[in-house]
Amino acid sequence: ETKHGGSKNGKKEGLSGSSFFTWFMVIALLGVWTSVAVVWFELVDYEEVLAKAKDFRYNLSEVLQGKLGIYDADGDGDFDVEDAKALLGKYKYSFSLLSIKEAIKESLKKLREKQESKKEENEEEKKKTRKGKDATDRKDKKAVDTNKLKKDSDKAKRDRGKEKGLDKSVKTKETTKKSTSEKDGTVQVGKDKETKKITRKKRNKQSSCLKERSVPAQPASPESEETVQPAEKSYVESGKTFSKKKKKPKLLNKFDKTIKAELDAAEKLRKKGKVEEALRAFEALVNQYPQSPRARYGKAQSEDDLAEKMRSNEMLQQAINTYDEVVSLPNVPSDLIKLSLKREADRQQFLGRMRGSLVTLQKLVQLFPTETSFKNDLGVGYLLIGDNSNAKKVYEEVLSLAPNDGFAKVHYGFILKAENKIAESIPYLQEGLESGDPGTDDGRFYFHLGDALQRMGDKEAYKWYELGYQRGHFASVWQRSLYNVKGLKAQPWWTARETGYTELVKSLEKNWKLIRDEGLAVMDKKRSLFLPEDENLREKGDWSQFTLWQQGRKNENACKSVPKTCALLERFPEATGCRRGQIKYSIMHPGTHVWPHTGPTNCRLRMHLGLVIPKEGCRIRCAQENRYWEEGKVLIFDDSFEHEVWQDAESYRLIFIVDVWHPELTAQQRRTLPAI
């Protein structure tokens, strides 16, 4: 009985309640854990499923209307209940089975004609795309009527709407094409470049060690231009070029493709911020495959990242050397050469090795002579070593190749202004800024364009200052210094009490005659210790200065000529230790006018002690208020605000200038801020 399914007592056993519950729970738990596994391990890409569902979605009713429209018996353009009744003999219409067959044949013929017409349009579109691509390669800049393109696009959409009666496969193809076109519709122009500093301050900052300033983070992926056009063509509109979307840089040669999995594993570590592990992984790959350019580039990037983490100049130099090694290997993809040399030049500039950077940029231009962006970088390289002449030649070459290059225009305008060709510089600066090209939205160019316009008597200057302020380059329309510490109190004129430097002011005013007499003694000597102002700030006249301290450093030889004045100042570190200022005598002769200008930083205040002041004709304007000097009295103003000077007296004016740290700067900031 047991053998045949019975129990020993002869009764057949069924599934007990507890056993049923147990199996129910097991199955339920399996379902739950399966669902969790699907979600947790992302076994199903729900976004892809939804996207496909969206792509394949179509209007069933319209498709049915297209299919059944051939049975339109009453001639109203669609198939409805009346047509069905007619076909079933409910109504007597003058048609026969033969007429239905003919109607079916006619409709099918129309469908085939539409399909053939669509194929011809597709062929024409492909030909146009190929022509556009060829035109791009030849660098032909042919203007395209965008209104016509829009009309063509609208027409294509209407055509697609008419063809909804086609079969499912044709419908799907059209839907997918439309989706792709809409996705690529957004146009972004240009490639963002790292802003280049041209002033001496930039050179000083770059030569300072990493302990004072961290290395900019290494980008996780190479920069690429994101200019998109749906038809993947190059268009020129209103002087701006819109090119097709750049492909992802090719960083692997044939050999590197065979070890791609190992390279990707090491790169994944670097992108996750595991710098030391990434460096070890790339070093192992370099040892195993010494001819692999991508492995060596990954090693350079990891060293670059580690230099940032360790704040180590030595490690950064090692990264620079490795970037250079990449280029020397055989069969290096051109995109990898570009990235390596560009990053090498940038890191050299950061360490203050401007001439080394220049050599690297020259190599880059020689290898890729048609790349205007590399020529632009080379021009900046020349400017960083003060070689305006060669920089000018580079930008002239760029503008001959690309007349609308905004980056070249603003830098060329900057050079012209430095040559005091004020009127000539204005159109280049203005057109360059208006272009909106990457690298042009820089406070220096707003500063110099406004300054040039002011010198030409053009009130448009303040329009550009206002725009520079709105874009965050200036603290205000009047306060236009470029090297600032945020949050410091800002006002044009100050009192001694507001500065907190009352002891210094009292000492200067108490000893003003001593300071004056030593200054006059130096003036009487035949040695020309007073040097002409050399910052191109004068419209006309004669203005000279005799400097005792500059950037917090004492001029020992100068102080030998005025020992008592220097001894007096030694007691005030807020002045002698101000590495963003000067202490000097200033003499201005009659007929001098100093253009409106601003100082470079908001980190200092400037004191003027009157020594020899004519009774009339001398004044200074700071922002919108004029003041006058008095002998033995100190004027205090913030020279980061616009100020202007007139000397229309009949004799010279002599003052003593003392720069001091802004009182709100901390001791730490005073120690670590780079000198200006």
Side-chain angles (χ1 to χ4, degrees):
E1 287 176 353
T2 304
K3 182 178 178 181
H4 292 287
S7 64
K8 291 180 180 180
N9 58 11
K11 290 184 180 179
K12 204 171 189 178
E13 285 202 13
L15 190 65
S16 68
S18 61
S19 298
F20 176 82
F21 179 75
T22 301
W23 281 108
F24 175 79
M25 289 302 296
V26 168
I27 292 168
L29 288 171
L30 281 172
V32 170
W33 285 112
T34 301
S35 302
V36 170
V38 167
V39 175
W40 182 263
F41 296 106
E42 297 181 351
L43 299 178
V44 178
D45 189 343
Y46 291 104
E47 291 184 1
E48 185 179 354
V49 171
L50 291 171
K52 286 184 178 180
K54 185 177 180 180
D55 288 342
F56 285 99
R57 187 177 64 222
Y58 59 89
N59 192 320
L60 183 59
S61 65
E62 289 187 2
V63 171
L64 289 174
Q65 280 292 342
K67 295 282 187 182
L68 300 176
I70 57 175
Y71 299 108
D72 178 22
D74 56 4
D76 63 355
D78 60 1
F79 179 80
D80 52 22
V81 176
E82 304 301 322
D83 299 314
K85 289 180 179 179
L87 289 172
L88 293 171
K90 298 285 184 180
Y91 297 142
K92 294 180 180 179
Y93 283 102
S94 58
F95 70 93
S96 63
L97 186 60
L98 181 61
S99 66
I100 293 174
K101 288 180 179 179
E102 288 175 356
I104 292 171
K105 286 180 181 179
E106 184 66 24
S107 297
L108 290 173
K109 184 179 177 182
K110 287 181 180 179
L111 287 174
R112 280 195 296 272
E113 286 176 357
K114 283 185 180 180
Q115 287 176 330
E116 288 173 5
S117 174
K118 188 61 185 177
K119 284 180 182 178
E120 288 176 5
E121 287 178 10
N122 288 340
E123 287 298 322
E124 287 179 8
E125 190 174 350
K126 287 178 182 177
K127 286 179 183 178
K128 287 180 183 178
T129 303
R130 283 196 294 272
K131 286 179 183 178
K133 186 177 181 181
D134 293 339
T136 304
D137 294 337
R138 290 193 304 271
K139 296 185 177 179
D140 291 336
K141 294 186 176 181
K142 295 181 180 180
V144 174
D145 188 346
T146 54
N147 290 330
K148 183 177 180 301
L149 288 173
K150 187 175 180 182
K151 288 178 182 178
D152 291 345
S153 177
D154 293 338
K155 183 180 178 184
K157 288 180 182 178
R158 289 196 297 272
D159 290 344
R160 285 196 292 272
K162 291 177 182 178
E163 292 165 6
K164 285 182 180 177
L166 296 176
D167 58 46
K168 183 177 179 180
S169 62
V170 176
K171 176 69 182 180
T172 303
K173 182 178 178 182
E174 289 299 313
T175 306
T176 305
K177 186 172 181 181
K178 182 179 177 183
S179 175
T180 305
S181 176
E182 290 172 350
K183 183 179 179 182
D184 292 346
T186 303
V187 179
Q188 296 178 0
V189 182
K191 177 169 118 180
D192 205 3
K193 295 184 178 70
E194 185 173 334
T195 303
K196 309 293 182 184
K197 301 294 183 184
I198 292 174
T199 60
R200 294 177 185 170
K201 187 258 178 183
K202 168 69 180 179
R203 295 199 291 275
N204 290 334
K205 284 183 76 176
Q206 288 177 322
S207 60
S208 64
C209 71
L210 280 162
K211 290 181 181 178
E212 294 182 1
R213 173 183 169 192
S214 62
V215 185
Q218 174 74 9
S221 59
E223 293 180 12
S224 62
E225 247 178 79
E226 295 184 356
T227 54
V228 182
Q229 279 289 335
E232 292 192 338
K233 293 183 180 179
S234 178
Y235 304 120
V236 179
E237 181 185 5
S238 303
K240 293 186 182 180
T241 302
F242 300 84
S243 61
K244 66 179 183 179
K245 184 177 180 180
K246 262 195 174 182
K247 293 180 180 178
K248 188 177 180 181
K250 294 180 180 178
L251 306 183
L252 304 178
N253 61 15
K254 287 184 179 180
F255 173 75
D256 281 340
K257 287 178 181 177
T258 65
I259 60 169
K260 187 175 182 298
E262 295 171 78
L263 291 167
D264 288 347
E267 181 64 13
K268 190 173 182 181
L269 290 171
R270 192 182 74 82
K271 288 181 177 179
K272 285 184 175 181
K274 299 177 180 179
V275 185
E276 292 86 351
E277 292 180 47
L279 181 56
R280 286 195 293 271
F282 278 115
E283 283 176 340
L285 288 171
V286 168
N287 292 333
Q288 189 174 356
Y289 311 111
Q291 298 302 307
S292 167
R294 181 63 184 88
R296 204 168 293 264
Y297 179 70
K299 178 174 178 282
Q301 286 183 304
S302 300
E303 289 167 343
D304 203 340
D305 292 342
L306 192 57
E308 156 70 8
K309 186 175 181 179
M310 296 171 59
R311 305 175 74 82
S312 166
N313 284 345
E314 186 179 348
M315 179 56 71
L316 186 56
Q317 182 57 51
Q318 191 172 322
I320 290 169
N321 296 339
T322 309
Y323 282 124
D324 198 55
E325 290 171 6
V326 174
V327 183
S328 64
L329 294 173
N331 303 317
V332 185
S334 59
D335 287 343
L336 194 58
I337 292 174
K338 293 175 185 178
L339 289 171
S340 296
L341 288 178
K342 192 169 173 63
R343 186 65 179 175
E344 180 185 350
D346 178 79
R347 301 296 76 203
Q348 287 171 318
Q349 287 179 6
F350 180 83
L351 287 179
R353 291 164 191 174
M354 302 304 169
R355 295 195 179 275
S357 171
L358 194 62
V359 172
T360 304
L361 291 168
Q362 287 169 339
K363 187 190 297 185
L364 198 53
V365 169
Q366 287 168 4
L367 290 171
F368 306 100
T370 60
E371 294 268 4
T372 54
S373 65
F374 297 151
K375 291 182 188 292
N376 280 333
D377 291 342
L378 178 62
V380 172
Y382 280 119
L383 288 170
L384 287 172
I385 63 170
D387 189 351
N388 285 20
S389 177
N390 273 317
K392 187 177 181 182
K393 290 176 184 175
V394 169
Y395 289 121
E396 285 173 344
E397 185 180 350
V398 172
L399 290 171
S400 68
L401 295 171
N404 295 318
D405 190 306
F407 186 89
K409 281 187 174 183
V410 289
H411 285 83
Y412 190 65
F414 171 85
I415 294 167
L416 290 174
K417 185 171 179 291
E419 293 175 348
N420 210 28
K421 296 177 180 177
I422 306 300
E424 292 177 48
S425 72
I426 290 172
Y428 287 99
L429 288 165
Q430 186 167 329
E431 289 170 18
L433 283 171
E434 287 173 344
S435 74
D437 287 351
T440 60
D441 189 22
D442 186 305
R444 290 168 301 141
F445 302 128
Y446 290 94
F447 181 98
H448 286 293
L449 174 56
D451 185 57
L453 289 167
Q454 273 187 309
R455 296 188 183 197
M456 297 302 295
D458 193 333
K459 293 181 180 179
E460 285 284 297
Y462 286 96
K463 167 191 145 185
W464 288 98
Y465 289 148
E466 177 67 31
L467 189 57
Y469 162 63
Q470 289 174 2
R471 295 198 174 170
H473 300 305
F474 305 139
S476 72
V477 173
W478 296 104
Q479 190 180 23
R480 301 189 299 271
S481 52
L482 297 174
Y483 304 98
N484 302 321
V485 170
K486 290 185 178 180
L488 299 181
K489 182 178 180 180
Q491 61 187 45
W493 294 99
W494 290 65
T495 64
R497 182 173 293 179
E498 285 174 326
T499 67
Y501 301 134
T502 52
E503 289 301 315
L504 172 59
V505 173
K506 286 178 182 177
S507 181
L508 291 172
E509 291 183 342
K510 181 180 179 181
N511 296 283
W512 76 274
K513 289 183 179 179
L514 179 152
I515 297 168
R516 179 198 63 188
D517 293 344
E518 284 197 328
L520 291 173
V522 172
M523 284 176 58
D524 290 341
K525 292 182 180 179
K526 293 181 179 180
R527 293 176 298 151
S528 55
L529 296 177
F530 277 79
L531 302 177
E533 177 273 325
D534 60 356
E535 296 181 64
N536 192 26
L537 296 176
R538 283 171 292 159
E539 177 191 10
K540 58 182 180 177
D542 184 353
W543 176 24
S544 299
Q545 300 170 349
F546 175 46
T547 304
L548 309 180
W549 269 269
Q550 185 154 340
Q551 296 183 337
R553 293 192 297 268
K554 183 180 179 181
N555 185 334
E556 296 291 349
N557 289 330
C559 279
K560 288 177 182 177
S561 301
V562 286
K564 293 179 181 177
T565 299
C566 288
L568 181 71
L569 289 164
E570 294 279 12
R571 297 167 41 210
F572 302 101
E574 62 267 31
T576 58
C578 181
R579 291 182 299 109
R580 294 197 162 192
Q582 302 167 315
I583 300 175
K584 58 190 177 184
Y585 288 92
S586 172
I587 183 170
M588 191 175 288
H589 293 278
T592 301
H593 173 234
V594 178
W595 292 111
H597 64 287
T598 61
T601 179
N602 72 339
C603 294
R604 73 186 187 201
L605 300 179
R606 177 156 284 188
M607 298 183 179
H608 279 191
L609 173 65
L611 300 178
V612 178
I613 308 299
K615 290 183 179 180
E616 293 180 349
C618 295
R619 61 191 169 98
I620 179 173
R621 173 183 66 83
C622 186
Q624 296 171 288
E625 184 180 351
N626 290 330
R627 296 274 178 103
Y628 302 87
W629 295 277
E630 295 180 43
E631 292 182 355
K633 297 295 181 183
V634 171
L635 285 177
I636 308 172
F637 66 99
D638 184 338
D639 78 327
S640 65
F641 284 81
E642 179 183 294
H643 53 287
E644 183 177 10
V645 176
W646 296 264
Q647 215 289 42
D648 297 322
E650 295 180 355
S651 59
Y652 68 85
R653 180 226 66 180
L654 179 66
I655 62 172
F656 190 58
I657 298 175
V658 179
D659 289 335
V660 293
W661 285 116
H662 191 290
E664 292 182 355
L665 287 173
T666 65
Q668 172 71 10
Q669 288 172 320
R670 299 183 190 198
R671 285 194 303 270
T672 58
L673 282 170
I676 295 178

